[in-house]
Amino acid sequence: MEVKEALLKRRSVRKYTDEKVSASDTDILLHAAMSGPSACNKRPWEFFVVTDEAVLEKLRSATKFSGITAPMAIIVCGNLSRALPLEMKDYWIQDCSAATENILLSAVDLGLGTVWCGVYPQKRGSERVSEILGLNEEQIPLNIIYVGHPAEEPEPRDWYTDKCIHFI
């Protein structure tokens, strides 16, 4: 698939079939995630792939807007023990966001649907997801990406507007 096509076709999918995501597709998504850029090559990301229905059910009620019924979730976390030090530590958010976008775009290419549900900086949501996954204090959940075979196909769109561009 052409890059521009994938960018325009990538949309949040909130309805999925019951068909499981294959192990090979999951592997492709995780390879794509870890191919993202990372500040000073710290790669502070960790990925929790959840297919267990009981755990998925807990995640669905863990945060606002995360009640998505999909057969798989990938929780993207930052690991502060591998992040940049001190005042630059928050670059983990950018690194993990780039990894997230790579997952979303790769899913489009595979014919899968995704939706990015933010966790961080929701204090209560972060605590609940951390508890569900058994994370330690160095691991911070950035988001939950629900993944599956779409039962809906939102129209591609282009939100380009000249009003947001400033040439200097």
Side-chain angles (χ1 to χ4, degrees):
M1 179 178 297
E2 182 182 313
V3 172
K4 182 177 180 183
E5 181 184 356
L7 288 168
L8 298 179
K9 192 173 179 182
R10 197 238 42 92
R11 297 285 308 278
S12 294
V13 174
R14 291 177 173 82
K15 294 180 182 172
Y16 299 89
T17 69
D18 292 335
E19 184 180 352
K20 304 293 183 198
V21 177
S22 72
S24 62
D25 284 351
T26 302
D27 189 59
I28 290 168
L29 296 176
L30 295 170
H31 273 83
M34 293 185 224
S35 297
S38 174
C40 298
N41 200 29
K42 289 294 188 180
R43 295 173 281 158
W45 45 59
E46 292 189 13
F47 306 93
F48 292 79
V49 179
V50 178
T51 57
D52 180 272
E53 187 56 40
V55 178
L56 286 169
E57 193 58 40
K58 290 178 185 176
L59 289 170
R60 289 180 186 119
S61 62
T63 69
K64 295 179 181 180
F65 314 114
S66 66
I68 308 295
T69 304
M72 185 171 88
I74 300 173
I75 297 79
V76 180
C77 298
N79 187 322
L80 297 184
S81 70
R82 292 197 310 273
L84 289 167
L86 303 172
E87 71 278 354
M88 297 190 327
K89 74 174 173 59
D90 285 341
Y91 277 97
W92 73 266
I93 297 167
Q94 294 177 19
D95 294 348
C96 291
S97 294
T100 297
E101 186 68 9
N102 280 4
I103 291 170
L104 302 179
L105 292 173
S106 293
V108 169
D109 192 46
L110 294 169
L112 297 170
T114 58
V115 63
W116 174 342
C117 297
V119 175
Y120 182 87
Q122 296 176 52
K123 184 176 179 0
R124 181 69 179 128
S126 294
E127 290 171 353
R128 292 178 80 187
V129 171
S130 294
E131 182 181 316
I132 291 165
L133 298 178
L135 304 180
N136 65 45
E137 63 188 28
E138 297 290 318
Q139 298 165 309
I140 301 175
L142 180 67
N143 60 54
I144 301 169
I145 304 169
Y146 287 100
V147 184
H149 295 272
E152 63 179 2
E153 191 169 336
E155 289 293 318
R157 66 177 167 208
D158 186 347
W159 283 357
Y160 179 89
T161 177
D162 290 336
K163 295 176 185 177
C164 297
I165 300 171
H166 310 278
F167 291 101
I168 300 174

